[in-house]
Amino acid sequence: VQLQASGGGLVQAGGSLRLSCAASGSILSINMQGWYRQAPGKQRELVATITSGGRTSYADSVKGRFTISRDNAENTVYLQMNSLKPEDTAVYYCNAALYRMNKALYDYWGQGTLVTVSS
């Protein structure tokens, strides 16, 4: 199983980016999916999560600006980021708790995609 994240880049403050993370491999179903980020010199922090039923949760710092969504048919999770601020600069990682064909639950991470917001 692999998680492939994409969509990062350089954007000016106030701009938007959309991150994608596609899961592939022997997957039975995906439970929780989420996005985390790690800024230079800081610990990794939770940005947003979404359950298989579509229930979402956000860090206070991104509420009202970021939207997490998922396409269950494509095993893909998205993060729409609007009104970006320089403090959003970080490497963004996707995460998935998923069931493989053996019906065991596993936790996977994507490789990270860099988001840089210039002031």
Side-chain angles (χ1 to χ4, degrees), residues 73-86:
E74 297 294 330
N75 288 338
T76 299
V77 63
Y78 304 96
L79 185 68
Q80 178 67 43
M81 306 184 293
N82 298 328
S83 302
L84 282 161
K85 303 176 181 179

Side-chain angles (χ1 to χ4, degrees), residues 11-31:
V11 64
Q12 287 188 332
S16 298
L17 282 175
R18 189 191 195 206
L19 306 183
S20 301
C21 179
S24 61
S26 300
I27 300 169
L28 183 61
S29 65
I30 300 179
N31 190 10

Side-chain angles (χ1 to χ4, degrees), residues 54-113:
R55 185 172 181 177
T56 60
S57 177
Y58 297 93
D60 288 342
S61 59
V62 306
K63 281 182 181 177
R65 300 188 297 122
F66 290 11
T67 302
I68 188 170
S69 61
R70 60 190 282 173
D71 183 333
N72 292 331
E74 297 294 330
N75 288 338
T76 299
V77 63
Y78 304 96
L79 185 68
Q80 178 67 43
M81 306 184 293
N82 298 328
S83 302
L84 282 161
K85 303 176 181 179
E87 51 263 44
D88 294 319
T89 294
V91 177
Y92 284 71
Y93 298 90
C94 57
N95 173 267
L98 57 88
Y99 291 95
R100 296 189 63 176
M101 295 303 181
N102 61 2
K103 300 184 181 179
L105 185 65
Y106 296 85
D107 191 69
Y108 286 93
W109 290 89
Q111 83 283 11
T113 184

